[in-house]
Amino acid sequence: MDKTVNQKAWFLVLPVFLVVAFSAVIPLMTVVNYSMQDTFGNNQFFWNGVGWFKELLDPSTDLGGRFLASLGRNLLFSAIILAIEVPLGIVVALSMPREGWSVAACLVILALPLLIPWNVVGTIWQIFGRPDIGLLGYVLNHLGFDYNYVSNDVDAWVTVIVMDVWHWTSLVALLCYAGLKSIPDAYYQAAQIDGASRWAVFKAIQLPKMNRVLLIAVLLRFMDSFMIYTEPFVVTGGGPGNSTTFVSIELVKIALGQFDLGKAAALSLVYNLIILIVCWVFYTVMTNAGTDRPAKEGVA
Amino acid sequence: MARIDLVDLAHSYGGNDAPQESFALKPVTMTWRQGGAYALLGPSGCGKTTLLNLISGIVTPSRGKILFDGKDITPLSTQKRNIAQVFQFPVIYDTMTVGENLAFPLKNRGVAKGEVDARVKQIADLLDLSPYLNRKATRLTADAKQKISLGRGLVRSDVAAVLFDEPLTVIDPELKWQLRSKLKALHRELDLTMIYVTHDQTEALTFADTVVVMHDGRVVQSGTPAELFDKPAHTFVGYFIGSPGMNILPAEVSGHEARIDGHIIGLRRDYGALPAGKKIEIGVRPEFVDVATPASGLLSATIERIDDLGRIQFARVRVGDTKFAARVPPGFSTSGNTAGLIFNPAHVHVYADSQLVEGVA
């Protein structure tokens, strides 16, 4: 077959090329460029090679210590909210009605927190938790709990976690509900005939069928919580002390507070790399989970 | 294993107060004997799946009772009825191996492990699933999955009846035959009551000893395949079973004669006293009408086309405004498109308002 050669076709690729260049490639390369240099303002830069990266991974330096500490806090935060939101989302999805007008009502109520802008969520909880005028803070203190998220590390953590659970459990629940709705009735009828208990139905039918959506839910929630910035920043500003300073908050402090562009650039590249790796591992592990593997021992 | 009695059983999805004409299943009373192979046959929406779900307990009847061996089980849940059901699409527990799938109903009932293993092995051998016992069930073909669904029913030793809801829908045509013969063999071997819902007459006639034909929520006839073919109790049965279906012609019937367009066809029996005011028709299967060269004593018809089915030829003809099918005897040749029809009087039936009328010999 004859192929038509027309170099003008390149013009069709040009818009995409430009958009990707200006939205991704050029900013990313700028960051890579910064990460290799140091600056003292006045647009003067000095070559620093991989110096910042070495510092980042060395906990004895100031930069490394702050990065690793905030990374640890961030991982702990992600682990806690996943451990709460995923099971809670599943329970909410399981207890939702399957038909009737109440379905629509439940969906709307669940969707509400998802529609609120993040800084508004932060502001709501910031006020809600205040011991002097906030409903939550006031009531807790009057019930005899010494609750103050401004001065107590544990209270700050509890507030930030409860806020995230309030904001995002709906997402997990909605995804799970969609997964549950796709199970044909015949499965439930068969399970009933097989004499399966409620728990057995969950384990043998509902959980395996929700596998895919749960993968997506865990991925989304992990990424979001690992990159969390606005809500804790509005509520606690990273405090008390550094106790709720997550990696993104630390990053903004270094980049915009101290104007250490080199350190911040190196940190953000490592931050990005961690997210990519963790997502890839998650995806690989969870997509392989459902495939054939030799049975443990005969028929159990 | 059980005899199943349906006593005045009826169901309406619109509640008991709905007019009876709208019932998904109109009142039916019948007995299905232990160890029988039954087929519920009818077009989509005729109520056959409703009847099946009533027996399995997925649907609770609005009226009437179901007895297993004389015991009223109507209020019992599906779980307590000891029935097995195979659905249209294979139901497989994805995360389990074939063996675990088969063991599932026994484990749920707290059967001892040794007994479970023995029973699973026995059923797997019966269904030719032994080589796959340790494989994940999701990876198997549709027919193997359907066998697993069936196996989960058979693995329980106390099963009262096995119900099939169009189980071969998703199976390849070639495998359908194999699976159907397997079911037949299992039925002989296990002495189980089996009820098979289908809209495919070949499936029904080859599987069942007794075929229950349903139409518009009503059981119109229940009998052996031969009875349904030779003596349809309702014009619907005549039309639905057989290919092409039975010819139905409006006629005037008196004594030993049926009159169509002024032409007289002889009848074997005497229909002296037909109820007045009803729609009278005669029904005759295409196999019992021959086309012939037109002659004065024969009902004349216009030939529209001839279908050659290989071992037999059917002429599609028109009698007045009514379409009609008739056998083309070997050696018949047409000149023009008119023909005469020769009826076999022993196989001409008379229907009043679609119901068979028995004449007097």
Side-chain angles (χ1 to χ4, degrees):
Chain A
M1 248 204 299
D2 286 333
K3 279 188 181 168
T4 314
V5 176
N6 185 345
Q7 301 297 350
K8 281 182 198 147
W10 289 106
F11 284 110
L12 298 176
V13 190
L14 194 63
V16 174
F17 187 78
L18 286 177
V19 167
V20 173
F22 278 96
S23 67
V25 179
I26 294 175
L28 183 67
M29 292 326 287
T30 313
V31 172
V32 171
N33 187 25
Y34 282 159
S35 72
M36 303 283 183
Q37 310 193 47
D38 196 3
T39 179
F40 303 106
N42 290 334
N43 217 17
Q44 282 184 297
F45 287 91
F46 304 93
W47 179 251
N48 190 28
V50 293
W52 297 132
F53 293 97
K54 278 186 184 159
E55 265 192 44
L56 261 183
L57 301 177
D58 180 1
S60 61
T61 63
D62 171 60
L63 179 62
R66 283 163 72 185
F67 168 63
L68 294 172
S70 62
L71 182 64
R73 284 191 286 269
N74 222 150
L75 290 174
L76 180 64
F77 177 72
S78 292
I80 292 175
I81 64 110
L82 281 179
I84 297 175
E85 288 176 15
V86 172
L88 188 60
I90 293 175
V91 170
V92 170
L94 285 174
S95 42
M96 275 174 69
R98 291 173 61 81
E99 52 198 357
W101 62 269
S102 44
V103 173
C106 282
L107 290 178
V108 170
I109 291 171
L110 276 182
L112 276 179
L114 302 175
L115 298 175
I116 301 174
W118 296 0
N119 55 346
V120 177
V121 172
T123 311
I124 292 173
W125 280 83
Q126 203 250 354
I127 296 171
F128 190 44
R130 278 175 63 162
D132 51 351
I133 56 166
L135 182 62
L136 178 71
Y138 189 83
V139 168
L140 280 179
N141 277 292
H142 271 254
L143 288 177
F145 298 96
D146 184 18
Y147 166 85
N148 189 338
Y149 66 82
V150 181
S151 59
N152 184 311
D153 293 355
V154 176
D155 291 351
W157 267 81
V158 168
T159 310
V160 173
I161 286 168
V162 171
M163 173 175 64
D164 198 84
V165 168
W166 176 83
H167 196 180
W168 289 113
T169 302
S170 294
L171 178 76
V172 182
L174 289 176
L175 284 168
C176 290
Y177 187 66
L180 285 175
K181 284 283 264 193
S182 68
I183 303 174
D185 281 344
Y187 276 85
Y188 294 112
Q189 293 166 354
Q192 215 185 340
I193 289 168
D194 289 339
S197 62
R198 184 71 195 80
W199 172 244
V201 168
F202 175 70
K203 237 178 64 178
I205 299 173
Q206 292 172 322
L207 198 56
K209 294 278 172 199
M210 282 194 292
N211 208 344
R212 294 267 145 190
V213 290
L214 277 178
L215 165 71
I216 295 168
V218 169
L219 263 181
L220 285 178
R221 283 316 302 133
F222 173 75
M223 285 197 294
D224 259 1
S225 62
F226 195 66
M227 300 188 295
I228 193 163
Y229 176 77
T230 318
E231 300 147 287
F233 183 75
V234 172
V235 176
T236 65
N242 277 331
S243 64
T244 56
T245 302
F246 300 120
V247 180
S248 60
I249 296 178
E250 198 70 86
L251 178 62
V252 172
K253 276 188 193 169
I254 296 173
L256 302 178
Q258 307 165 212
F259 212 69
D260 272 330
L261 290 185
K263 290 180 185 177
L267 200 162
S268 63
L269 285 177
V270 173
Y271 193 15
N272 193 9
L273 197 65
I274 294 173
I275 290 177
L276 280 180
I277 291 172
V278 173
C279 289
W280 178 75
V281 169
F282 255 124
Y283 186 77
T284 316
V285 168
M286 294 191 78
T287 43
N288 287 343
T291 53
D292 228 345
R293 53 167 187 236
K296 284 141 280 171
E297 25 115 33
V299 183
Chain B
M1 301 180 199
R3 187 187 78 235
I4 301 175
D5 293 290
L6 312 179
V7 184
D8 192 29
L9 188 71
H11 187 69
S12 159
Y13 290 103
N16 218 355
D17 300 331
Q20 191 164 325
E21 269 315 297
S22 74
F23 274 36
L25 179 72
K26 277 131 200 162
V28 55
T29 298
M30 65 193 310
T31 296
W32 292 348
R33 67 186 165 73
Q34 155 17 58
Y38 292 88
L40 289 177
L41 177 65
S44 301
C46 71
K48 55 194 192 309
T49 299
T50 302
L51 179 51
L52 197 73
N53 288 344
L54 288 174
I55 295 170
S56 66
I58 291 168
V59 176
T60 310
S62 351
R63 189 192 301 177
K65 282 191 292 189
I66 305 167
L67 312 179
F68 283 6
D69 279 337
K71 198 171 129 250
D72 185 359
I73 52 94
T74 324
L76 292 188
S77 69
T78 302
Q79 220 162 322
K80 300 223 172 81
R81 287 189 187 191
N82 290 332
I83 47 94
Q85 184 160 357
V86 179
F87 296 89
Q88 195 166 1
F89 297 97
V91 173
I92 293 299
Y93 302 114
D94 293 343
T95 48
M96 301 185 193
T97 62
V98 174
E100 287 164 343
N101 258 286
L102 292 177
F104 190 63
L106 295 181
K107 272 172 54 183
N108 287 331
R109 287 170 172 77
V111 177
K113 187 175 180 332
E115 203 179 319
V116 173
D117 288 352
R119 193 70 192 158
V120 165
K121 195 178 167 314
Q122 191 187 343
I123 294 300
D125 285 342
L126 205 59
L127 293 169
D128 311 322
L129 286 171
S130 303
Y132 309 114
L133 273 181
N134 292 329
R135 291 262 302 269
K136 278 265 186 234
T138 29
R139 293 290 181 89
L140 299 179
T141 54
D143 62 309
K145 286 183 179 175
Q146 215 41 317
K147 278 200 227 167
I148 298 172
S149 314
L150 173 60
R152 281 206 313 271
L154 299 180
V155 80
R156 284 151 47 198
S157 48
D158 57 351
V159 83
V162 187
L163 313 180
F164 299 89
D165 190 356
E166 308 195 19
L168 301 183
T169 311
V170 293
I171 311 291
D172 289 341
E174 193 190 333
L175 291 171
K176 272 188 190 179
W177 280 100
Q178 289 182 17
L179 208 51
R180 209 175 323 149
S181 338
K182 189 85 211 170
L183 289 181
K184 212 57 196 153
L186 281 174
H187 177 246
R188 275 192 296 269
E189 201 162 328
L190 298 175
D191 188 34
L192 284 169
T193 310
M194 290 190 174
I195 302 169
Y196 189 108
V197 162
T198 178
H199 57 249
D200 181 334
Q201 53 165 308
T202 321
E203 265 177 36
L205 299 176
T206 50
F207 172 81
D209 330 318
T210 308
V211 178
V212 178
V213 184
M214 296 188 65
H215 174 53
D216 197 19
R218 233 181 276 279
V219 172
V220 286
Q221 187 172 9
S222 142
T224 63
E227 283 167 4
L228 297 181
F229 188 82
D230 290 339
K231 214 173 177 187
H234 190 279
T235 50
F236 174 79
V237 179
Y239 167 79
F240 195 69
I241 291 182
S243 175
M246 189 183 235
N247 298 302
I248 312 286
L249 286 172
E252 292 158 35
V253 174
S254 59
H256 280 272
E257 290 175 345
R259 192 181 290 268
I260 300 166
D261 289 348
H263 178 84
I264 290 171
I265 295 167
L267 300 172
R268 176 62 56 88
R269 286 160 173 263
D270 182 8
Y271 297 87
L274 278 179
K278 293 199 169 183
K279 186 176 69 170
I280 305 295
E281 290 161 315
I282 61 163
V284 57
R285 291 204 173 272
E287 286 83 353
F288 303 117
V289 186
D290 283 353
V291 290
T293 37
S296 62
L298 301 178
L299 179 63
S300 73
T302 316
I303 298 182
E304 297 196 320
R305 67 166 201 273
I306 289 177
D307 293 341
D308 192 343
L309 304 185
R311 87 200 134 75
I312 190 167
Q313 290 185 337
F314 284 110
R316 302 297 183 144
V317 304
R318 201 172 262 288
V319 179
D321 288 333
T322 316
K323 283 189 175 172
F324 202 92
R327 198 166 67 106
V328 180
F332 171 80
S333 63
T334 42
S335 51
N337 59 356
T338 51
L341 299 176
I342 303 171
F343 289 78
N344 178 344
H347 292 279
V348 178
H349 302 291
V350 175
Y351 294 90
D353 276 355
S354 303
Q355 301 288 342
L356 181 70
V357 181
E358 296 275 2
V360 184

